[in-house]
Amino acid sequence: MPIKILYFASLRETLGLGQESLELNATIDSVATLKNHLAARGEPWTALAKMKNLRAAINQRVVNADNAIADGDEVAFFPPVTGG
Amino acid sequence: MQEADFDVGAEIAALTAGHARAGAVASFVGLVRDSDHAAEHGGSGEDHGTPATINAMTLEHYPGMTEQALEDIVSEARQRWNLLDVTVIHRVGRLLPGERIVLVAVASAHRGEAFAACEFVMDYLKTRAPFWKKEETPQGGRWVDAREADDQAASRWSQA
């Protein structure tokens, strides 16, 4: 079962994409390895690696880079929040 | 979360209805500014001293996670203080200067808890709820940067 990946705000605009589906494999098992996999696509995806303070959430909870990802998860990448 | 404006008076009346023990309501309303004074410091503009004009602001959010984050923040406030009720309304979409963005209203028996909880909810909302602001200026669109001061404001609540 693929994972769903969401991108928000300035990151969404930079990538030109709001969401996509991706099949996990043995080399993509955490937020950090997923980020590296996506950044390896080249421009504009290198933004994921370059962005300072990139935040990530799994199933709508903020997580750290070493958090594991499982089949069917909803993973989101976004810049620091600026609401209120 | 809603695109429509809210009526502060009606929300406060609804918050306290049925709470005969409510002796205090503290509320905060956030508005869209017409200029960004932060841009005159550390900004890239050459015209120091002239705040950047903001024509409009668009608020994006992460549907689903936003609701969850706000529920978590309110439930943490309820653990810290003895509160009777809490209302949080945050607008999304395109807003003009002067328009209301956010309302936090807290009812409690006494003012101390209402004041503290209202400030806590706003500080955590600013740093934990997945909203992002994009300003429309005469120079084009600009995503608002997160402020260090907001992180500091939120972190003081976790000091032992």
Side-chain angles (χ1 to χ4, degrees), chain B residues 122-155:
Chain B
M122 266 315 297
D123 285 348
Y124 269 41
L125 185 155
K126 283 225 160 234
T127 51
R128 299 189 176 194
F131 292 100
W132 300 273
K133 288 188 183 127
K134 187 177 189 182
E135 297 169 345
E136 291 172 32
T137 75
Q139 290 76 39
R142 190 177 78 87
W143 288 95
V144 173
D145 286 328
R147 296 169 66 232
E148 176 80 11
D150 288 333
D151 285 332
Q152 286 168 3
S155 69

Side-chain angles (χ1 to χ4, degrees), chain A residues 6-13 55 57 59-62 74-76 78-84, chain B residues 60-65 68 72 90 101-102 125-127 129-134 143-146:
Chain A
L6 302 172
Y7 309 101
F8 289 97
S10 55
L11 182 63
R12 173 178 54 76
E13 287 190 349
R55 302 287 200 267
N59 299 326
Q60 307 187 352
R61 297 275 182 185
V62 170
E74 177 177 301
V75 182
F78 46 83
V81 302
T82 56
Chain B
E60 176 173 333
H61 76 122
Y62 180 172
M65 181 172 167
Q68 186 62 55
D72 288 351
H90 202 300
I101 305 173
V102 61
L125 185 155
K126 283 225 160 234
T127 51
F131 292 100
W132 300 273
K133 288 188 183 127
K134 187 177 189 182
W143 288 95
V144 173
D145 286 328

Side-chain angles (χ1 to χ4, degrees), chain B residues 9-27:
Chain B
E11 294 300 335
I12 289 176
L15 179 72
T16 51
H19 289 294
R21 286 174 49 235
V25 174
S27 65

Side-chain angles (χ1 to χ4, degrees), chain A:
Chain A
M1 188 177 174
I3 60 165
K4 181 175 169 185
I5 313 176
L6 302 172
Y7 309 101
F8 289 97
S10 55
L11 182 63
R12 173 178 54 76
E13 287 190 349
T14 300
L15 300 178
L17 188 69
Q19 74 171 71
E20 65 176 308
S21 290
L22 189 83
E23 289 290 347
L24 291 181
N25 62 41
T27 62
I28 309 172
D29 57 1
S30 70
V31 172
T33 51
L34 172 63
K35 190 176 89 168
N36 292 341
H37 171 82
L38 296 169
R41 290 171 172 173
E43 296 296 338
W45 296 87
T46 49
L48 280 162
K50 287 182 202 154
M51 226 176 99
K52 280 181 190 168
N53 302 322
L54 178 72
R55 302 287 200 267
I58 298 178
N59 299 326
Q60 307 187 352
R61 297 275 182 185
V62 170
V63 295
N64 296 318
D66 56 2
N67 257 82
I69 296 174
D71 278 337
D73 277 350
E74 177 177 301
V75 182
F77 290 105
F78 46 83
V81 302
T82 56

Side-chain angles (χ1 to χ4, degrees), chain B residues 34-36 39-40 44-47 50-56 134-143:
Chain B
D34 70 351
S35 59
D36 181 4
E40 64 186 285
S44 53
E46 261 116 62
D47 52 339
T50 309
T53 303
I54 297 169
N55 297 329
K134 187 177 189 182
E135 297 169 345
E136 291 172 32
T137 75
Q139 290 76 39
R142 190 177 78 87
W143 288 95

